[in-house]
Amino acid sequence: MDSKRAKYAIRERMWALLEQEQAAPPGVHGYIPSFFGAEAAANRLAELPVWKGARVVKAVPDTAQLPVRVRALAEGKLVYMAVPKLAEPLPFYLLDPQNLTVPVDEAASSAVAAFVAPKIGVEDMQAVDLIICGSVAVNRRGVRLGKGAGYSDIEVALLQEANLIGPQTTIVTTVHPLQVVDEDLPETGHDFSVDLIVTADEVIECRPPRRPHGLVWDELQQHQIASIPVLDARLKQRSNSKGDPSQR
């Protein structure tokens, strides 16, 4: 079985398990699961030194990580939240607790952030101390599977290329305990691993980290590039540079 099919099978199995065990509400298929216990996982994360020392946080917009985003804003952290599906030319919302016009629990929602938070590009971002990602499944070595669209991988790659993250940046996923598996999970060239897994019950340290140096263009599909403006713009820049002798 190739990697793509293997990932799909694991995701389908995990979505079915979460619904069967009532660990998440019905309808999780195709999504980062909005698991029960997400707030408790966020609280456990907030106890860690890596959280307390973080000033700038980059987070996914998924509902499962909403309690983490709320907690970050409530504690005065600057939060960059990805625009859903990276569908805008400026692909991140800037959530600055000093400038919010609505309560933090509202601002942290992607639906509200779309109206109250300015959008920015990678070039206008500060160095990131902590990355919060969602997962469908993750093993104890830190290998994770998202929902299959590749958005988190692209976000991390963009930050990596801009030198906004480095060895000092910690990548965390918050999940339900059932989402933590002991088996090997398939990896491809664009996948990153997480440094910490946080559930309502435990904190799992994962080593060694695996992070691509940037975008892996050979693994990006044409439809992905066309639907994500920042990728489309970069591809055109790459094409122009290759055609310009001064850029060779």
Side-chain angles (χ1 to χ4, degrees):
M1 184 183 297
D2 63 31
S3 177
K4 187 174 181 179
R5 291 174 60 194
K7 288 183 175 183
Y8 177 80
I10 294 166
R11 290 187 187 103
E12 287 293 321
R13 189 181 77 214
M14 182 56 67
W15 286 323
L17 175 66
L18 290 171
E19 289 194 349
Q20 174 187 319
E21 298 299 323
Q22 298 183 342
V28 297
H29 285 252
Y31 299 95
I32 297 296
S34 180
F35 61 94
F36 297 129
E39 187 167 350
N43 291 341
R44 184 171 292 278
L45 171 60
E47 297 172 355
L48 302 179
V50 70
W51 171 271
K52 294 177 180 178
R55 187 178 63 85
V56 180
V57 176
K58 199 289 292 183
V60 290
D62 301 282
T63 304
Q65 281 67 50
L66 175 61
V68 179
R69 299 193 300 271
V70 171
R71 185 81 184 233
L73 291 174
E75 294 185 13
K77 301 181 190 298
L78 185 72
V79 175
Y80 297 122
M81 179 169 61
V83 171
K85 300 183 179 181
L86 300 174
E88 301 285 344
L90 299 176
F92 293 95
Y93 294 121
L94 169 60
L95 294 168
D96 185 343
Q98 300 299 318
N99 298 321
L100 294 179
T101 57
V102 297
V104 294
D105 58 332
E106 295 180 26
S109 162
S110 60
V112 176
F115 294 98
V116 303
K119 299 183 186 74
I120 63 171
V122 174
E123 63 278 3
D124 294 317
M125 295 171 67
Q126 300 178 35
V128 174
D129 303 310
L130 187 64
I131 292 176
I132 308 297
C133 64
S135 302
V136 174
V138 61
N139 69 20
R140 291 176 179 269
R141 291 193 298 109
V143 182
R144 63 173 284 279
L145 298 183
K147 59 180 176 284
Y151 298 122
S152 287
D153 298 313
I154 292 168
E155 292 159 24
V156 170
L158 290 172
L159 298 181
Q160 189 86 52
E161 287 190 349
N163 294 317
L164 294 173
I165 62 174
Q168 76 285 354
T169 307
T170 301
I171 303 181
V172 180
T173 189
T174 54
V175 293
H176 189 277
L178 288 176
Q179 293 175 262
V180 183
V181 299
D182 293 323
E183 67 194 87
D184 288 338
L185 295 176
E187 295 180 90
T188 52
H190 64 264
D191 293 322
F192 64 87
S193 66
V194 300
D195 301 305
L196 293 175
I197 303 166
V198 181
T199 75
D201 301 326
E202 65 176 329
V203 176
I204 302 167
E205 295 188 15
C206 311
R207 286 289 185 270
R210 180 181 187 276
R211 301 184 190 178
H213 296 298
L215 293 164
V216 183
W217 287 97
D218 291 343
E219 294 188 10
L220 290 171
Q221 303 296 315
Q222 188 58 46
H223 69 87
Q224 282 180 298
I225 297 172
S227 66
I228 299 176
V230 67
L231 292 187
D232 189 49
R234 288 185 177 220
L235 181 60
K236 290 174 181 175
Q237 289 176 349
R238 284 164 57 89
S239 300
N240 291 339
S241 295
K242 289 179 180 178
D244 183 351
S246 67
Q247 300 296 320
R248 293 175 185 169

